[in-house]
Amino acid sequence: GEVCASWTAGYFDFPTACKLVRDRAHCMQKTPEGKMISIFLEEEKLEGIISELSLNKTTVAAVNGKKLVVASGMGKEIEVLEKKLKKDNVKCKVLNVKQAFHSPLMDDILSDFEKSLGDISFLGAQVDQISSQSGLLKDASQGTKKYWIEQIRSPTLFNQAINTLSQQGITHIIEIGAGDTLCTLLKHGMDLTGICVTNLLHLKQEDDTLFKNALIKLWMNGLDVSFPFETKVKIDLPLTPLLSDSPLKSIAPSDGQR
């Protein structure tokens, strides 16, 4: 996901983005199987439990919210951690993955991944991007080979990233991808008052319908949208009064449409 975002931002061209994804996936296949578990707990408390249980092959893999983290590591260690969490009545769920991303189990492939990248070239970013490793805006290290090597092993700091996002005066957030996972995670770490959040695609819904509905939602929340489609479907409008600042207020019906 971050590779795609960085390509869009202009850090590298399309062939380079494809190379990053291919080489990364090839190296991942060499790693031993592991497990990941999502936990409703603060990062510091999870680190304390991992230390208490002496789980040397397990670490914090992602910080998705103030009280929402992911642990990743050796399968047996994750099972021990899960048992401890359930005993303490901490809500958790083992994720449906076979690799322990961002964990010590990734260490053995880092040198191979570095070699596979060779003399990869980077460009200057044309669009501002927030780093998933540092949570910073315009992190210059994203345009380096070192960043993408460490990205395999370092935890994903989604919560820090959305904290940075919240300081940018954002009014509309659009998730581009086959789901609404990030939209859901936003609720755990960001005050969404006055912010329109929507996703464009979902695996369980028709792409065309969901995409249209997302554009309509954005427009209804004040975003200037150029609709790429026409519709002749008639719908009944609600009888409730419109808000004074509603976009619909600015639409003057033509003759015969009143």
Side-chain angles (χ1 to χ4, degrees), residues 30 43 47 53 63 81 87-88 109 114 122 140 146 175 189 198 209 212 247 254 257:
K30 301 177 182 178
E43 178 185 5
E47 290 176 337
L53 298 175
V63 182
L81 177 60
K87 181 181 178 181
D88 294 344
I109 67 170
E114 181 177 8
F122 293 89
K146 182 174 182 290
E175 178 173 356
T198 188
T209 301
K212 290 179 180 179
S254 59
Q257 291 183 327

Side-chain angles (χ1 to χ4, degrees), residues 45-236:
K45 290 185 179 180
L46 174 58
E47 290 176 337
I49 294 175
I50 291 175
S51 176
E52 174 189 340
L53 298 175
S54 299
L55 305 178
N56 299 320
K57 293 294 183 180
T58 298
T59 188
V60 176
V63 182
N64 292 327
K66 296 177 181 178
K67 294 184 178 181
L68 182 60
V69 292
V70 176
S72 178
M74 188 179 292
K76 291 183 179 180
E77 290 192 355
I78 295 297
E79 291 172 4
V80 172
L81 177 60
E82 181 186 18
K83 184 177 180 180
K84 165 68 175 174
L85 293 170
K86 289 185 175 180
K87 181 181 178 181
D88 294 344
N89 295 316
V90 177
K91 188 177 179 181
C92 60
K93 180 181 180 180
V94 175
L95 303 181
N96 185 27
V97 295
K98 293 184 178 181
Q99 264 72 37
F101 302 110
H102 307 287
S103 80
L105 273 63
M106 300 288 108
D107 289 343
D108 291 341
I109 67 170
L110 297 182
S111 59
D112 288 343
F113 183 57
E114 181 177 8
K115 292 176 182 177
S116 71
L117 293 180
D119 296 326
I120 189 173
S121 59
F122 293 89
L123 309 171
Q126 303 299 313
V127 179
D128 291 344
Q129 182 182 352
I130 299 175
S131 165
S132 71
Q133 282 191 65
S134 65
L136 299 177
L137 181 66
K138 300 179 182 180
D139 189 336
S141 67
Q142 286 182 270
T144 65
K145 186 165 68 171
K146 182 174 182 290
Y147 179 91
W148 295 100
I149 296 171
E150 294 179 347
Q151 194 250 14
I152 291 178
R153 180 65 172 83
S154 301
T156 299
L157 304 181
F158 184 76
N159 189 56
Q160 287 86 328
I162 62 175
N163 285 337
T164 299
L165 182 67
S166 67
Q167 299 169 13
Q168 310 306 312
I170 299 297
T171 56
H172 299 80
I173 299 176
I174 306 170
E175 178 173 356
I176 303 174
D180 58 356
T181 302
L182 300 183
C183 288
T184 303
L185 291 178
L186 284 173
K187 300 175 183 178
H188 294 281
M190 185 175 178
D191 181 5
L192 297 176
T193 304
I195 300 176
C196 175
V197 178
T198 188
N199 57 297
L200 296 182
L201 301 172
H202 198 284
L203 292 174
K204 297 182 180 181
Q205 299 183 44
E206 291 292 333
D207 292 350
D208 187 56
T209 301
L210 185 59
F211 185 74
K212 290 179 180 179
N213 289 339
L215 292 182
I216 292 171
K217 179 180 179 180
L218 292 167
W219 179 75
M220 290 291 293
N221 283 273
L223 189 66
D224 185 14
V225 176
S226 177
F227 292 97
F229 56 85
E230 295 183 3
T231 177
K232 297 181 180 180
V233 178
K234 293 182 178 180
I235 60 173
D236 293 326

Side-chain angles (χ1 to χ4, degrees), residues 19-30 113 152:
K19 177 177 174 57
L20 273 171
V21 173
R22 181 199 65 191
D23 292 351
R24 191 177 189 275
H26 180 71
C27 289
M28 287 292 180
Q29 293 177 344
K30 301 177 182 178
F113 183 57
I152 291 178

